[in-house]
Amino acid sequence: MSIFRNLNEGLHDICFIWWREMKLMVRDEGVIIFFFVVPIIYPLLYSWIYNNETVHEVPVAVVDDSHSSLSRQFIRMCDASADVKVAYYAQDLNEAKSLVSRQLVKGVYHIPSDFDTNINRLQQATVSVYCDMALMLTYKAVYQTAQLVTMQMGTEIKTKLAGRFTKQEELIASKPLAFDEVPIFNPSGGYGSFILPGVLMLILQQTLVLGIGLAAGTAREQNRYGQLVPMSKHYHGVSRIVAGKALAYFMVYAVMGAWLLLAVPRLFHFPQLAAWPSLLAVVFPYILACIFFGMTVSCLVRYRENVMLLMVFVSVPLLFLTGLSWPQSNIPAVWQGISWLFPSTFGVRAFVRLNSMGASLADVLLEYRILWIQAGAYFLLAYAVYRYQIGQAQKRIKQEYQDMKERIEERKKHAKV
Amino acid sequence: MKYLLRIFHLMMRELAILRRNHLYAFCMVVFPILVLVFFTTLMKEGLPTEMPVGVVDLDNTSMTRSLTHRLDAFQMSRVVAHYPSVTEARRAIQRNEIYAFMYLPKGTTDKLLSNRQPKISFYYSYTTMAAGALLMKDLKTISTLGSAAVGQATMQAKGMTDAQIQTLLQPIRVDLHQIANPWTSYNVYLTTMIVPGIIMLFIFLISAYSLGTEIKFGTGKQLMEIAGNNILVAIVGKYLVQTLIFLAIVYAYEYYVFMVLGFPHLGSPWMLVLLGLIQVLSSQGFGIFAFGLTPSLRMSLSICSLWAVLSISMVGSAFPVMGMDGALQTLSWLFPLRHYFMIYQICIFNGFPLIDAWFHFAALVAFLLLPWFVMKKIKNAMLTYVYIP
């Protein structure tokens, strides 16, 4: 009987706290920004930024000292390629340099005066490529185009020089071992398809932590004693408080998660290979882990704004710790260890492999298990810090009560005298 | 003289505030240093080396094994496993064990020796961009070398000289000059954008925070009193101490990165000093402006953090601005970090004169002057606003 009553009462309390938390959430403009506005707007902005995926037509300058049909062929072929556009013809390297300095071109092709003489004399000819290394993608475009064009021209020259009998023989002689390069998963090499899945998953964690932190800060500031947990008959029992609040956050983030991980990639045509059961299996513990992580962090901040100063800058290092930009195999051990503290590390890794690489749940088993462990560990931590907070609150109230009593006694004494 | 004295009093007051609230110490000194250490140690290698790759060798002859050995000997790749089939290797990529693999089909050697042009393949994943692109380069080199080895043998047999063979194998050579970053170091290329970006984030936040807390803790009136009711004096006195601390941090970063770690800087050292100065001042300008727009602590902090995080993308260092949509290219002007990066790129990294980056310098000066528009509003806020939680 009493078990049922307890359960019933507990459920009622959880629902009460859930309802109250939801009410607080929609009233607090700071929380609205991080729970609703940022998760909706930011992915759209990021997708827009990276939607063009690759850079085409990088402007280069050409210094042609050879003025031969071969050098003109080289320039024509470069210009015709997708990645490079011959924007300027410069008289000499100095002029080309001034074009680079004014950011008009990103690289310089210099064809020396002995270019065609060398080729016709059966000597190796060179083309000098000067790259502005400030941007990796433009460097890649400028260099790889030059490489591709020289290789193509080289093959033509080779077949002419060799003097074979048949076309097929020419082909084989110029390239005895053929090769195929197959970029799998993200075949266009698009920048958005590569970075966006990780960013989306990270936005989920960061906005959750920021929102929870702000909500906790508000609760604390509105409380008379600066406590996180109000004194109310519904707020006894730590598990009820933690569960009630988590439910409220989970409700919002079930929706936001679907928007971020399903709708946005579809809207902008980013790869989406994940099967929904495995996606659900990974995202569920991820959101739980993020919520309890956020609740733990929220107990550490005294003023509501402080959470912003603490959490915002972490976003960038966290993105790097996932191993997306800098390969995971090359992250130093210290940082690998620290990365284990954050749900995003494993959430992003699992999501990218499920979603962009079409892996199955079995392939991300390690990440999946760690996410559950993190969810459990952060739940216990959140429980512990909330219990501490409640203990503090009760102590405070008792103290207050005691003081009041003493004051009344004192007054009574004075009155008697 | 009267003004100087007031400013001095305000500076003393600000020093006391900075010492009392530990958050300032963390956000102004500890976190920026932590971020600097993080990025410089994370990418210490410059280029990722020894990345795991796999091999699917169905031919298994001495020729294919020597190709595998050569691949292993490359600096960037390390052959960690052999797989019985392409499917297995693909699953290994999905399990995050390797980043790429080379596929040598059955009969490769036979065909090569009998001049029937065998075809080998290499598969690489672009979901981790740097790893994919770098390994692709290694794998490509391997195949070209394999090709060359065969051709070389036949040509030598025909009695050609080495120079002739060289010409026949590669009639046109690309002579690459990687100006200022010949190591293609990712450390040089990412750290110099992200660390200043995060320092600017902190300057934004702290600038807005320190004005906002005056209202929150109800000390705005006191501030104006000491300043003799002159908002300009109040702002200068309040921010001068912070400016000096941030300048110290920025110069410490520049010293460590350019002098100790030896990152390329072709411009004069004075350019570094000037860039650091305008970086700090323009960011403070932006932070104060953001607060003045919405004289509320939480809104201004939200604006500052959202803007700063967005600027890491809008700076166009990883994905160039010229690859973005036209509207975004114009929008990128609104981000101080973008102008900072352009000045860095033009005047420090490539060492061109400041005149080539005049537009970006002027833009940063404009950011510094932005608070001018909201001075009145800030004064009003300091005197009359009451904090509502």
Side-chain angles (χ1 to χ4, degrees):
Chain A
M1 178 63 198
S2 73
I3 295 175
F4 280 114
R5 241 185 58 195
N6 255 342
L7 257 178
N8 187 25
E9 194 190 289
L11 272 177
H12 266 97
D13 287 351
I14 288 177
C15 291
F16 175 80
I17 294 168
W18 176 6
W19 169 73
R20 196 168 164 277
E21 196 67 28
M22 287 301 293
K23 232 171 50 181
L24 283 178
M25 225 185 276
V26 289
R27 268 198 212 140
D28 189 327
E29 60 177 43
V31 178
I32 289 178
I33 288 181
F34 285 104
F35 269 6
F36 301 99
V37 179
V38 175
I40 290 175
I41 306 283
Y42 250 51
L44 296 179
L45 262 177
Y46 275 118
S47 308
W48 187 27
I49 291 176
Y50 296 125
N51 201 29
N52 290 354
E53 297 275 12
T54 46
V55 278
H56 294 301
E57 303 283 300
V58 175
V60 295
V62 170
V63 182
D64 184 2
D65 284 341
S66 167
H67 295 292
S68 57
S69 68
L70 272 171
S71 72
R72 281 192 291 273
Q73 188 194 346
F74 173 81
I75 297 167
R76 243 187 350 261
M77 284 170 77
C78 287
D79 200 17
S81 75
D83 291 349
V84 160
K85 178 179 74 183
V86 175
Y88 293 91
Y89 289 86
Q91 282 306 313
D92 51 22
L93 275 178
N94 270 331
E95 195 193 335
K97 194 175 157 187
S98 87
L99 289 170
V100 176
S101 81
R102 278 176 285 152
Q103 297 288 310
L104 294 171
V105 295
K106 292 286 168 198
V108 179
Y109 292 153
H110 177 224
I111 306 163
S113 52
D114 57 2
F115 182 71
D116 75 319
T117 335
N118 273 345
I119 290 177
N120 294 330
R121 256 197 322 220
L122 253 190
Q123 278 172 2
Q124 199 172 37
T126 53
V127 174
S128 296
V129 175
Y130 298 84
C131 291
D132 181 351
M133 296 293 291
L135 303 172
M136 279 287 174
L137 283 187
T138 58
Y139 149 70
K140 244 172 67 184
V142 171
Y143 174 50
Q144 282 179 356
T145 303
Q147 233 185 355
L148 205 77
V149 169
T150 53
M151 259 167 73
Q152 268 177 13
M153 285 179 70
T155 315
E156 272 173 42
I157 294 163
K158 270 193 266 184
T159 44
K160 260 188 224 159
L161 287 176
R164 311 262 164 188
F165 298 109
T166 65
K167 264 258 150 55
Q168 187 62 23
E169 202 185 2
E170 279 173 1
L171 208 68
I172 293 171
S174 68
K175 201 179 184 185
L177 181 67
F179 56 84
D180 241 353
E181 41 175 308
V182 191
I184 42 175
F185 320 128
N186 186 11
S188 62
Y191 197 85
S193 307
F194 137 73
I195 198 90
L196 240 278
V199 170
L200 292 177
M201 207 66 172
L202 193 64
I203 290 178
L204 215 57
Q205 173 188 298
Q206 292 303 96
T207 54
L208 245 175
V209 175
L210 283 166
I212 294 176
L214 281 182
T218 315
R220 210 190 283 242
E221 280 175 27
Q222 279 174 345
N223 191 295
R224 194 144 54 104
Y225 307 114
Q227 299 294 347
L228 186 53
V229 180
M231 293 316 286
S232 147
K233 82 174 165 65
H234 295 287
Y235 277 80
H236 68 279
V238 185
S239 37
R240 291 171 201 184
I241 299 174
V242 174
K245 287 193 174 204
L247 259 180
Y249 303 137
F250 189 81
M251 206 168 87
V252 176
Y253 266 75
V255 181
M256 286 305 155
W259 161 252
L260 277 164
L261 305 179
L262 296 176
V264 171
R266 174 144 306 177
L267 275 177
F268 288 89
H269 309 290
F270 293 120
Q272 255 186 324
L273 300 177
W276 70 266
S278 39
L279 190 62
L280 198 66
V282 164
V283 174
F284 181 62
Y286 177 65
I287 291 185
L288 280 186
C290 289
I291 287 175
F292 294 128
F293 174 64
M295 287 171 86
T296 311
V297 171
S298 74
C299 285
L300 304 175
V301 292
R302 185 160 168 69
Y303 301 113
R304 44 175 290 149
E305 289 78 14
N306 293 11
V307 70
M308 274 195 247
L309 296 172
L310 289 176
M311 284 311 292
V312 171
F313 86 96
V314 194
S315 313
V316 188
L318 281 187
L319 189 63
F320 274 80
L321 283 179
T322 59
L324 221 53
S325 311
W326 182 257
Q328 192 192 331
S329 57
N330 296 65
I331 297 175
V334 189
W335 299 121
Q336 292 263 21
I338 289 175
S339 76
W340 279 63
L341 291 176
F342 300 94
S344 62
T345 311
F346 302 98
V348 170
R349 283 178 195 168
F351 178 66
V352 165
R353 272 151 57 198
L354 286 178
N355 197 51
S356 311
M357 299 164 75
S360 64
L361 191 59
D363 296 329
V364 295
L365 208 57
L366 174 73
E367 282 77 11
Y368 174 69
R369 282 185 185 144
I370 294 175
L371 281 175
W372 271 116
I373 293 173
Q374 278 180 335
Y378 279 119
F379 171 74
L380 291 179
L381 254 177
Y383 184 89
V385 286
Y386 265 81
R387 199 156 98 169
Y388 174 76
Q389 294 274 348
I390 291 168
Q392 290 283 308
Q394 276 166 349
K395 226 191 265 168
R396 209 46 180 281
I397 299 283
K398 244 180 218 163
Q399 185 73 34
E400 203 100 336
Y401 179 68
Q402 213 82 36
D403 286 355
M404 202 138 63
K405 226 159 128 187
E406 269 167 32
R407 249 177 282 148
I408 293 170
E409 298 267 304
E410 201 98 325
R411 226 173 276 164
K412 269 185 192 163
K413 254 185 219 163
H414 277 287
K416 268 181 194 166
V417 172
Chain B
M1 196 60 223
K2 187 177 70 183
Y3 291 126
L4 283 183
L5 199 67
R6 278 178 185 155
I7 286 177
F8 177 75
H9 282 308
L10 281 171
M11 283 173 74
M12 288 295 119
R13 174 177 176 274
E14 189 64 22
L15 260 181
I17 293 176
L18 296 189
R19 277 177 54 182
R20 211 179 315 125
N21 191 345
H22 293 306
L23 199 74
Y24 285 109
F26 275 102
C27 288
M28 296 172 87
V29 183
V30 179
F31 291 153
I33 291 177
L34 206 66
V35 169
L36 173 62
V37 171
F38 174 79
F39 281 104
T40 46
T41 52
L42 181 76
M43 297 183 281
K44 202 171 53 199
E45 299 163 84
L47 267 180
T49 53
E50 301 276 303
M51 287 181 287
V53 299
V55 171
V56 179
D57 187 356
L58 299 182
D59 203 29
N60 205 14
T61 61
S62 64
M63 206 284 291
T64 58
R65 279 195 297 274
S66 92
L67 273 186
T68 310
H69 286 313
R70 273 198 220 165
L71 180 63
D72 198 22
F74 272 105
Q75 200 186 1
M76 269 171 231
S77 39
R78 186 161 51 92
V79 176
V80 291
H82 288 261
Y83 299 96
S85 68
V86 172
T87 317
E88 284 292 311
R90 191 205 70 217
R91 289 211 47 199
I93 295 188
Q94 285 169 332
R95 280 196 308 269
N96 204 21
E97 286 164 11
I98 52 172
Y99 292 117
F101 64 90
M102 179 163 71
Y103 169 54
L104 304 162
K106 192 147 188 61
T108 303
T109 315
D110 277 353
K111 281 188 181 169
L112 195 65
L113 293 179
S114 56
N115 252 341
R116 275 181 291 151
Q117 202 182 31
K119 194 172 221 175
I120 65 174
S121 317
F122 40 81
Y123 294 75
Y124 52 97
S125 158
Y126 255 140
T127 46
T128 43
M129 199 115 190
L134 291 169
L135 287 173
M136 189 267 277
K137 228 165 90 183
D138 269 12
L139 291 166
K140 212 169 179 170
T141 317
I142 278 291
S143 329
T144 321
L145 283 180
S147 244
V150 180
Q152 204 173 3
T154 38
M155 282 185 251
Q156 263 169 354
K158 285 183 184 167
M160 291 189 190
T161 64
D162 277 352
Q164 280 172 323
I165 292 174
Q166 181 93 35
T167 312
L168 279 174
L169 285 178
Q170 196 186 16
I172 307 173
R173 190 169 61 86
V174 172
D175 181 20
L176 179 66
H177 301 262
Q178 298 168 304
I179 297 160
N181 186 0
W183 324 276
T184 346
S185 165
Y186 276 68
N187 201 356
V188 166
Y189 139 82
L190 284 174
T191 302
T192 50
M193 182 276 288
I194 291 177
V195 177
I198 293 182
I199 293 178
M200 281 168 100
L201 162 81
F202 281 123
I203 304 179
F204 285 1
L205 286 175
I206 288 296
S207 301
Y209 182 80
S210 61
L211 265 186
T213 41
E214 295 281 355
I215 293 181
K216 179 164 184 164
F217 299 135
T219 51
K221 282 203 183 81
Q222 184 204 10
L223 171 78
M224 293 309 293
E225 213 169 280
I226 301 177
N229 217 16
N230 184 333
I231 186 68
L232 197 63
V233 173
I235 296 280
V236 172
K238 185 159 179 56
Y239 282 100
L240 206 53
V241 181
Q242 292 182 14
T243 310
L244 293 176
I245 295 175
F246 279 128
L247 275 179
I249 288 293
V250 165
Y251 289 142
Y253 150 77
E254 286 181 348
Y255 178 78
Y256 180 66
V257 161
F258 295 108
M259 306 298 161
V260 179
L261 294 182
F263 281 19
H265 59 107
L266 300 178
S268 84
W270 291 110
M271 202 48 233
L272 280 175
V273 174
L274 182 65
L275 182 63
L277 184 68
I278 194 70
Q279 176 193 2
V280 171
L281 292 179
S282 63
S283 312
Q284 284 187 316
F286 183 89
I288 299 171
F289 177 70
F291 176 79
L293 268 186
T294 62
S296 121
L297 178 56
R298 73 192 77 145
M299 280 310 283
S300 59
L301 280 186
S302 304
I303 292 176
C304 284
S305 43
L306 296 179
W307 209 250
V309 170
L310 209 56
S311 63
I312 304 266
S313 297
M314 290 300 292
V315 66
S317 159
F319 186 72
V321 169
M322 63 184 224
M324 298 175 194
D325 279 352
L328 284 169
Q329 296 190 8
T330 316
L331 221 61
S332 75
W333 290 354
L334 299 180
F335 294 83
L337 184 61
R338 166 74 182 156
H339 301 292
Y340 168 88
F341 177 70
M342 289 308 283
I343 299 178
Y344 158 75
Q345 182 193 328
I346 295 171
C347 302
I348 289 170
F349 185 75
N350 282 322
F352 294 122
L354 183 61
I355 189 76
D356 285 322
W358 71 269
F359 170 75
H360 302 286
F361 194 81
L364 285 184
V365 172
F367 276 109
L368 160 64
L369 296 177
L370 267 185
W372 190 256
F373 294 106
V374 291
M375 277 299 190
K376 250 192 177 152
K377 226 169 151 185
I378 293 176
K379 183 175 177 182
N380 188 25
M382 284 298 136
L383 290 174
T384 55
Y385 275 38
V386 180
Y387 179 74
I388 312 153

